[in-house]
Amino acid sequence: MQVLNEQFIEQCPVENGFRLRGEAMTRIEVFVDAAFAFAVTMLVISIDQTPRSVQELMAISKSIPAFILSVALLAYIWHHHSIWSKRFGMEDGKTVLLSVALVMVVLVFMYPLKMMFSDLFSWITNGYLPSQYVITRYEELRFMFIFFAIGFALISFLFMTFYNHALRYKVELKLSAIEVHNTGSDKIFLIAMLMICLLALLLSMTVPGQWIPYTGFVYVLNWPLGYWIQYRRNRQWNTSQSNVKPIN
């Protein structure tokens, strides 16, 4: 990868402390955007039917919460890829490989994602929001949770690799000290997220059948853990800066 010149870096806009080296969309980013749009379209089509009466409309509307959460999660994943692309603007072979792998994982886990959320709402509403998916045995439910955990573990691993790849080229990208620090913070959070996914996977494989639905609450740990990591990393940065002595 060629070293970015200072003139280019200086004219890059700044957002949240990062120079946006990839503000102009690359071809791989266009491809990823199209793939995510296709995934959302398939979620809409999977509703299966067009209502022909008010009763059918009311019945179909009960699947809206699962659809909204599925789309929101896809949008969250897409948004983070977009942020990474804007910050670093990389389009080398490894970036293309990682982006294609991310698209493949998202497309494979798209339908299980909606299935999980549909079953979740059916469970917490005691069937008022019905699921169109039939699960008759705990082992089927166990398989779904294992499948779900593997999908999120792969996504976490891919994003961790994205940020690690950017750090490897910090000199060529001319990342500032704060940019290197914040990129490292993102990488640490993704490692923690991967560990949570692996914990959820382990629990899904080992707990008794009646406890399987509760293993999904492990993912809630991402929020407090993310805030704690950000807090610790900010303190480390502030401490390191306060220890820097000005040159007279």
Side-chain angles (χ1 to χ4, degrees), residues 15-28:
E15 183 178 283
N16 296 325
F18 268 89
R19 294 277 184 183
L20 301 184
R21 296 160 178 80
E23 190 179 28
M25 293 184 68
T26 61
R27 289 179 63 83
I28 188 60

Side-chain angles (χ1 to χ4, degrees), residues 161-231:
T161 309
F162 270 116
Y163 282 96
N164 187 61
H165 184 51
L167 285 173
R168 286 185 59 192
Y169 288 94
K170 60 184 179 182
V171 175
E172 290 83 353
L173 292 169
K174 292 191 180 297
L175 297 181
S176 65
I178 185 63
E179 288 176 326
V180 171
H181 178 83
N182 289 339
T183 302
S185 298
D186 290 331
K187 178 184 172 181
I188 291 172
F189 171 68
L190 288 162
I191 292 173
M193 185 182 294
L194 176 59
M195 294 301 103
I196 290 173
C197 292
L198 294 178
L199 174 61
L201 176 61
L202 177 63
L203 292 174
S204 299
M205 295 171 64
T206 57
V207 300
Q210 66 270 24
W211 290 100
I212 295 174
Y214 298 98
T215 63
F217 292 105
V218 171
Y219 298 103
V220 177
L221 293 173
N222 282 314
W223 280 272
L225 188 58
Y227 283 118
W228 182 79
I229 290 173
Q230 190 64 45
Y231 170 75

Side-chain angles (χ1 to χ4, degrees), residues 138-148 204 212:
Y138 279 127
E139 289 309 307
E140 294 176 348
L141 186 63
R142 189 187 302 277
F143 175 79
M144 280 183 54
F145 273 80
I146 291 173
F147 200 82
F148 191 77
S204 299
I212 295 174

